[in-house]
Amino acid sequence: NFGNTCFMNSVIQCLVGTKPLTRYFMRGEWRSHLIQDTKEQSSSMVTEFAHVVERMWRGQFSFISPAEFRSAVARCSEQFNGNDQQDAHEFASFVLDSLHECLNHVHPRPLPERELTLDEELQFEQLSDAQQSRVQWDAYTRRNKSIVSSIFQGQIQSRLTCMACQHTSTTYHMFTELSVPIPDTSSDNSANGPALHSEPQPIDIYQCLDAYSESEILDGDNKWMCPVCQTKRTATKRLMIARLPLVLIVHLKRFSTVGHFREKLEANVQIPTMSMCLQKYVTFGAGEQSTLYNLYAVANHFGSMSSGHYTASVSDGLNGQWNHFDDTRTSVIHESQVTTPAAYLLFFVRTQRGIE
């Protein structure tokens, strides 16, 4: 830990615990995919990440110091240049985005697709969800193909529905991590009269996913300009998963801004370590592959935003043993100790259909 870099250590442990990613770097495949005219700072970061993976998996040392990787990250991003505590979710997103850009097989990239005309959009809406998803995913992969896209990236469907004429407008976008809200489940603690305080009630990950995918009413100033009605209309908006990734990263939105202050939600979200089912949250046709996921890594955040500390819990994947990493300290923990109120970033791997 170089001052306040535990956020980096916890993310590295989770990423190195991702077996397909580790195999890719250990086999040296990244060398042939590294884009030669990538900015020197970015390619240096990829190289140093590969060195971290190799040193960790060779097992020659009880711990390593990723100083060169940290320096390479600092040269690429002003945000992570310094000794201030940073958000592990933002750091994980930065690392994965950087790896994707530097290791993209599609080079040079073709121009982005042009926007659809109104007639083309109306024709697009006649397609099934599965057909729409495939069209948009093919358009994305024509410009993007990397180890990151093959492991971590999925696809979200966003659908607007006019409540007057039922016309729909559907768009799709890629995601690398799913940021889900934690519902407020506080209840009054007193039986009579006004409560002096409230206590958070137990919730589970499915309630978070419900809150993410529930329909939102767009009304008032947020009314939608319906292209069929030719006027602003009340509409619904809903997000669904159209394509599931091999590895699903779920970000629990524990931090919220209230006025000038950031608050942390300490809710203990119940998270299954085996067979989390996402069937309810995928579009029709997206469930052709398994919708079951097993948890294999967790980045934990303890304390407040300004003075917090990050650790990681990672399964070795062989005998089901879970290890807890706290900078240079490691310990074996029981599976029941993996998910706590500190759980912040969750790493799941999709199971084979019919196999738990």
Side-chain angles (χ1 to χ4, degrees), residues 140-152:
Y140 176 74
T141 55
R142 277 194 288 273
R143 304 186 72 244
N144 298 274
K145 188 177 182 182
S146 73
I147 186 63
V148 173
S149 65
S150 67
I151 296 175
F152 297 98

Side-chain angles (χ1 to χ4, degrees), residues 203-317:
I203 61 175
D204 62 41
I205 189 69
Y206 295 111
Q207 289 173 275
C208 299
L209 292 166
D210 286 343
Y212 174 83
S213 65
E214 68 182 356
S215 293
E216 174 188 0
I217 303 295
L218 303 181
D219 203 356
D221 294 338
N222 295 320
K223 284 185 176 181
W224 175 48
M225 175 60 76
C226 175
V228 173
C229 296
Q230 295 287 299
T231 187
K232 288 190 173 184
R233 294 291 195 188
T234 300
T236 60
K237 177 182 179 180
R238 190 178 188 192
L239 302 178
M240 297 285 284
I241 303 173
R243 185 181 181 90
L244 290 164
L246 174 63
V247 167
L248 175 68
I249 303 176
V250 177
H251 163 229
L252 296 177
K253 297 170 73 172
R254 290 196 178 276
F255 299 105
S256 61
T257 301
V258 180
H260 298 291
F261 303 96
R262 294 195 73 186
E263 295 184 348
K264 181 184 177 185
L265 299 173
E266 299 282 1
N268 188 8
V269 180
Q270 302 298 309
I271 304 158
T273 55
M274 301 290 288
S275 300
M276 179 179 72
C277 182
L278 298 184
Q279 185 67 48
K280 179 180 177 182
Y281 310 101
V282 301
T283 59
F284 183 77
E288 294 178 359
Q289 292 180 305
S290 173
T291 56
L292 299 178
Y293 282 81
N294 294 339
L295 185 71
Y296 71 89
V298 180
N300 306 293
H301 181 272
F302 297 90
S304 65
M305 184 61 189
S306 58
S307 61
H309 180 62
Y310 286 97
T311 68
S313 302
V314 184
S315 170
D316 66 8

Side-chain angles (χ1 to χ4, degrees), residues 46-189:
V46 175
T47 300
E48 294 303 335
F49 180 79
H51 291 166
V52 168
V53 173
E54 292 167 2
R55 291 167 65 194
M56 289 180 69
W57 274 94
R58 283 184 187 142
Q60 294 175 299
F61 310 100
S62 57
F63 64 88
I64 67 168
S65 174
E68 293 83 1
F69 175 66
R70 174 177 177 265
S71 298
V73 168
R75 290 193 295 271
C76 292
S77 171
E78 185 67 29
Q79 177 182 356
F80 301 111
N81 184 9
N83 294 321
D84 293 339
Q85 180 68 281
Q86 299 292 338
D87 187 288
H89 169 238
E90 294 179 358
F91 182 70
S93 296
F94 168 76
V95 171
L96 291 174
D97 287 348
S98 298
L99 293 177
H100 173 66
E101 291 299 322
C102 292
L103 299 171
N104 191 353
H105 303 188
V106 184
H107 190 73
R109 282 180 171 175
L111 294 173
E113 301 281 328
R114 63 171 176 78
E115 292 187 9
L116 299 179
T117 65
L118 178 57
D119 286 342
E120 289 172 335
E121 181 181 337
L122 293 175
Q123 292 175 11
F124 181 75
E125 292 302 319
Q126 300 304 311
L127 300 177
S128 68
D129 286 348
Q131 290 172 321
Q132 287 184 352
S133 172
R134 170 52 61 185
V135 167
Q136 293 299 310
W137 187 254
D138 286 347
Y140 176 74
T141 55
R142 277 194 288 273
R143 304 186 72 244
N144 298 274
K145 188 177 182 182
S146 73
I147 186 63
V148 173
S149 65
S150 67
I151 296 175
F152 297 98
Q153 291 184 354
Q155 186 186 53
I156 293 295
Q157 178 200 77
S158 176
R159 174 164 288 160
L160 294 169
T161 303
C162 175
M163 297 185 69
C165 72
Q166 301 304 305
H167 170 69
T168 61
S169 177
T170 313
T171 56
Y172 292 81
H173 65 269
M174 177 279 299
F175 73 93
T176 307
E177 57 280 312
L178 207 61
S179 292
V180 300
I182 300 177
D184 182 7
T185 59
S186 299
S187 64
D188 292 343
N189 203 32

Side-chain angles (χ1 to χ4, degrees), residues 16-28:
V16 173
T18 304
K19 299 301 188 292
L21 184 67
T22 298
R23 284 195 296 269
Y24 174 82
F25 280 98
M26 290 298 289
R27 292 171 179 168

